Amino acid sequence: METIKIHIVDDSASVRKVLGDLLDTDSSLEVIDTSSDPIIAEKKLKKQWPDVFILDIEMPHKDGITFLKEIMATRPTPVVMCSSLTENNTKITMEALSAGAVEIISKPKVGLQNFLYESAMMLVDVIKSAALADVKTLKKTISAKPGLKVSPKLTADALLTPFDGKRVTGKTDKIVTIGASAGGTQALEALLTSLPQNSPGIVIVQHMPEKFTFAFAKRLNNICAIEVKEAEDNDQVKSGRALIAPGNLHLMVIRKGSNYSVITKEGPLVSRHRPAVDVLFRSVAKNGGENVLGVILTGMGDDGAAGMFEMKQAGSRTIAQNEETCVVFGMPKEAIKRGGVDEVLPLEDISGEIIKFAVN
C-alpha cells in the first residue's frame, strides 16, 4: 500500500504538532508538510501536492473555506476540515461540507497526554477514509507503525446482546434506518431533501463529531420538507421526522407497543465509531423486523455490515447505495459481501424506495 501524503494547514503550531504526532503513529500515513496559513501552503504546493489536506477553519490572510473552494476548483483533492467546537465554527463547517470537504475532525486538545487514544484511532481512520474518497463523485452529489498498540475492534455486543434470530411479529408503524460515513453528509442532504413531508419516520447514524451533528440536523431541517433534529432520549420515531444520532453517543431504537422511540447511550467505540451504525441496526433487528427498511450509504470500513445482515435475518428490507454514486464504496460493499443487502441502488433512486416502503 502506498503511503498517504498529508499537508496540515493550521495557524496553531501546537495543533500542527499534535496532529502530526498522532498521524505519525501509523506507518501508512506521512505528513509531508505543514503550513500556518494558506498563502504559505500555496508556495509549498508548487513543489509537492498531498493526497489529503487537513485545513483549519479560521486562519490569517485566507480562511479555510476560501482555500478549500480554490483546491476544489483547481485540483480537486480530499480535504478534512479541522474545527473547534464553537457554535460559529460548526455553522461554517457545514458550509465546508457543501463546498466539498470529505470529513470533519474536532480540533485536538493541545498536548498528546490529554488526547484520548481512541481519538487518535478515529483520526487515523478519518484520514484513510478521506484518501479513498472520490471527490468527483462528491462534486456530482453536491452539484500502524511498529510499537503502536491497536485496541481490539468491538462489535455491537459491547452494548446489545446478540440478535437471537427471532423475527418480530405484529404490524407497527414503518420506519427507516440509515447509516453513513465519508460523503454521507452530502448524500443525506440529497436523499432527505427529496422526501415528502409524510415520509416514514427515519433514524440516522452519520459518523461525525459531537456538536457538529446538531448543526448538521439544524441545517437539514431548514431545507427539508420533513422535520430533522438531533436525537434526544425518548424522541418518538414518527412520520415526517428524521432523527440524527448525536456525535459521541450511540443511538438505539426501542419499541413501545406499536410505536418506536430512541435512546442514546455512552459506551466504547463499536466498529471504531461512536455513534456506530451496527448498534442502530442491531437495535431495529431486535425490535422492528419486517416493519423496518435499512439503508447503508457511502463510507469507509465495515460499520453497519454486521447489523444489516441481522436486519435481513429479522425480515427487514435492506438497500445499499451503489458504487457509482458513492464517495467511498466501503460500508455498502462490505454489507453486500456479507449477504445483508436485498437491493443495490443509485443514490437518486433510494428516496423513491422509501416512499414505496411507506405505502406497501
Side-chain angles (χ1 to χ4, degrees):
M1 179 180 175
E2 289 187 13
T3 302
I4 298 167
K5 297 177 174 56
I6 305 152
H7 191 141
I8 302 170
V9 188
D10 193 298
D11 63 341
S12 167
S14 299
V15 169
R16 294 197 301 273
K17 178 159 192 327
V18 170
L19 288 174
D21 287 348
L22 288 171
L23 295 171
D24 196 42
T25 61
D26 193 296
S27 59
S28 66
L29 307 178
E30 179 188 2
V31 178
I32 58 170
D33 226 326
T34 66
S35 302
S36 58
D37 66 58
I39 304 299
I40 294 172
E42 286 167 354
K43 295 176 182 176
K44 294 179 178 180
L45 290 172
K46 293 175 182 177
K47 295 181 179 179
Q48 190 171 25
W49 196 273
D51 300 310
V52 178
F53 285 96
I54 299 179
L55 297 186
D56 187 14
I57 295 282
E58 297 177 330
M59 291 180 284
H61 309 304
K62 186 184 290 186
D63 64 86
I65 301 292
T66 300
F67 191 39
L68 164 67
K69 290 177 179 177
E70 290 174 354
I71 292 169
M72 291 302 153
T74 58
R75 188 171 172 178
T77 305
V79 174
V80 174
M81 301 306 294
C82 182
S83 176
S84 57
L85 300 177
T86 65
E87 184 176 351
N88 185 53
N89 272 0
T90 54
K91 289 178 181 176
I92 296 172
T93 305
M94 293 305 107
E95 182 185 341
L97 289 169
S98 295
V102 177
E103 297 265 21
I104 307 167
I105 57 172
S106 300
K107 186 157 287 201
K109 297 173 184 177
V110 175
L112 283 174
Q113 69 275 15
N114 295 322
F115 205 70
L116 297 176
Y117 178 73
E118 65 179 30
S119 298
M121 285 195 304
M122 287 190 284
L123 174 63
V124 167
D125 282 349
V126 163
I127 299 304
K128 290 181 178 179
S129 173
L132 290 173
D134 183 345
V135 289
K136 292 180 181 177
T137 298
L138 187 62
K139 270 183 111 174
K140 290 177 187 175
T141 306
I142 297 170
S143 331
K145 275 187 181 176
L148 175 66
K149 207 172 180 182
V150 178
S151 60
K153 190 175 183 179
L154 300 180
T155 69
D157 292 353
L159 287 115
L160 290 167
T161 56
F163 174 60
D164 59 11
K166 293 180 181 178
R167 293 195 174 194
V168 175
T169 57
K171 293 291 183 181
T172 67
D173 290 340
K174 291 186 175 181
I175 64 171
V176 178
T177 54
I178 302 174
S181 189
T185 54
Q186 296 87 353
L188 284 167
E189 180 176 327
L191 176 59
L192 297 183
T193 53
S194 62
L195 292 174
Q197 197 279 329
N198 62 347
S199 298
I202 299 171
V203 187
I204 299 165
V205 165
Q206 163 69 48
H207 296 154
M208 186 180 281
E210 57 184 315
K211 307 292 185 184
F212 294 107
T213 45
F214 177 82
F216 180 50
K218 189 174 181 180
R219 181 178 182 280
L220 288 176
N221 189 56
N222 289 333
I223 59 176
C224 292
I226 61 173
E227 174 196 9
V228 184
K229 73 182 294 287
E230 185 182 60
E232 299 175 90
D233 281 336
N234 302 311
D235 273 345
Q236 188 176 351
V237 185
K238 61 183 183 180
S239 177
R241 168 188 277 182
L243 301 172
I244 297 179
N248 209 33
L249 288 173
H250 292 297
L251 188 67
M252 291 175 274
V253 171
I254 58 173
R255 179 178 173 180
K256 297 178 181 178
S258 62
N259 298 316
Y260 294 96
S261 57
V262 296
I263 56 172
T264 60
K265 192 169 184 178
E266 296 179 350
L269 301 180
V270 171
S271 300
R272 302 263 168 85
H273 295 284
R274 188 177 51 241
V277 182
D278 271 330
V279 172
L280 172 63
F281 282 3
R282 174 173 286 185
S283 73
V284 290
K286 291 166 75 77
N287 296 307
E290 65 183 18
N291 303 299
V292 184
L293 169 65
V295 178
I296 194 158
L297 301 177
T298 174
M300 177 185 165
D302 61 2
D303 187 25
M308 181 158 273
F309 181 73
E310 291 177 350
M311 286 181 68
K312 187 173 180 181
Q313 285 183 309
S316 303
R317 188 179 170 214
T318 57
I319 295 173
Q321 183 180 352
N322 71 352
E323 183 172 7
E324 291 75 17
T325 61
C326 277
V327 172
V328 181
F329 189 57
M331 287 161 51
K333 181 181 181 180
E334 190 62 29
I336 295 165
K337 179 181 173 183
R338 296 193 194 187
V341 176
D342 291 320
E343 196 167 6
V344 181
L345 296 172
L347 178 63
E348 60 268 22
D349 290 350
I350 295 175
S351 59
E353 292 304 309
I354 290 174
I355 295 165
K356 286 181 191 175
F357 175 75
V359 298
N360 290 338

